[in-house]
Amino acid sequence: MPVWFMKKSLYTAADAFAALHRGEERGLDFFFHMYYAPLVSFAAAIIQDEEVAREIVSEAFVKFWNNRQHLQAAGAVKSLLYRMVRNASIDYLRQQQRVKKMHQDVIQLQPLSDSAVLEKLVQAETYHYLYILVNSLPLRCRQVFQMFYLQDKALKEIAEELGISINTVKSQKQRAVQLLKENRSLLPTFLLFASSFLLY
């Protein structure tokens, strides 16, 4: 969940769940902002198509809204959404396989094991929480980190674009990495190990 949303939100998941049951869209908005990004990453990791993944997640939220009266507790929302997206993603792969067979391009679809799905779930949530951490960095640190690690720009290029010295770029990059390492304690325990590969 983006930092700006956490600051803006004035009610808890329980409040949002109650609003959802009353048919208030703010309840849906709460869970949408919380889970949309990691769910898209989860679906994309399964089907290898981010655009389709977005469609799958959007449809999942529509079904979630239409069946909101059947939910029993706020704690069940996350598992339900992930299950809906997982099933829809696998259905999509099966449908794609049927289409390819119709065109005589037979591809054997290996069923996803529970461990494979769990691995993709951890990967999706790891990147989601790291996204939150990166966006919590001071502005200059965040700019340098994103340009160097995500946009693959050289130190000299970053310095020229930001109008600062190369030494400043280096120090800001080191500071960003150090802050991310220090804030890794904010990650759920089961994501700490996975995130270590992304910060070293």
Side-chain angles (χ1 to χ4, degrees):
M1 179 172 57
V3 174
W4 66 265
F5 182 76
M6 290 190 288
K7 292 180 178 178
K8 182 179 179 181
S9 178
L10 298 178
Y11 55 95
T12 65
D15 294 327
F17 185 77
L20 185 75
H21 259 268
R22 293 193 297 268
E24 299 176 14
E25 290 188 4
R26 68 185 184 122
L28 177 64
D29 289 342
F30 180 94
F31 293 111
F32 181 86
H33 284 292
M34 179 175 288
Y35 295 121
Y36 178 79
L39 284 171
V40 169
S41 297
F42 179 51
I46 295 175
I47 65 176
Q48 301 299 307
D49 189 321
E50 186 170 345
E51 183 176 350
V52 175
R54 293 180 184 277
E55 294 177 3
I56 288 175
V57 174
S58 296
E59 291 176 2
F61 273 102
V62 171
K63 293 179 181 178
F64 173 70
W65 170 257
N66 291 335
N67 293 280
R68 62 188 181 279
Q69 296 298 333
H70 299 295
L71 294 172
Q72 300 300 318
V77 170
K78 180 177 180 180
S79 60
L80 172 63
L81 287 171
Y82 270 99
R83 186 167 64 252
M84 291 171 65
V85 171
R86 174 188 183 276
N87 292 341
S89 297
I90 292 176
D91 287 343
Y92 172 80
L93 290 179
R94 288 172 176 163
Q95 180 182 13
Q96 291 299 106
Q97 184 186 13
R98 287 195 294 269
V99 171
K100 289 177 181 179
K101 282 183 177 181
M102 290 175 60
H103 291 84
Q104 298 181 343
D105 183 14
V106 179
I107 296 178
Q108 294 297 322
L109 177 65
Q110 299 296 329
L112 291 172
S113 66
D114 290 339
S115 60
V117 171
L118 177 60
E119 179 182 352
K120 294 181 185 301
L121 170 60
V122 171
Q123 181 185 51
E125 294 230 331
T126 298
Y127 281 102
H128 172 59
Y129 278 99
L130 283 175
Y131 170 82
I132 294 175
L133 292 183
V134 169
N135 278 274
S136 70
L137 291 172
L139 177 60
R140 187 63 78 192
C141 283
R142 183 169 71 251
Q143 289 176 325
V144 171
F145 183 90
Q146 291 175 333
M147 294 174 76
F148 184 81
Y149 288 103
L150 304 183
Q151 299 175 23
D152 199 27
K153 293 187 176 182
L155 296 178
K156 182 178 180 181
E157 184 179 4
I158 296 173
E160 292 176 350
E161 289 191 22
L162 297 181
I164 57 179
S165 68
I166 292 181
N167 286 336
T168 300
V169 172
K170 291 179 180 179
S171 63
Q172 289 294 327
K173 179 174 72 71
Q174 292 173 351
R175 185 185 177 205
V177 172
Q178 185 60 39
L179 287 173
L180 289 176
K181 289 179 180 178
E182 292 173 358
N183 291 331
R184 281 200 305 150
S185 60
L186 300 177
L187 293 175
T189 302
F190 78 100
L191 294 180
L192 287 175
F193 177 77
S195 66
S196 64
F197 291 101
L198 301 175
L199 296 180
Y200 289 93

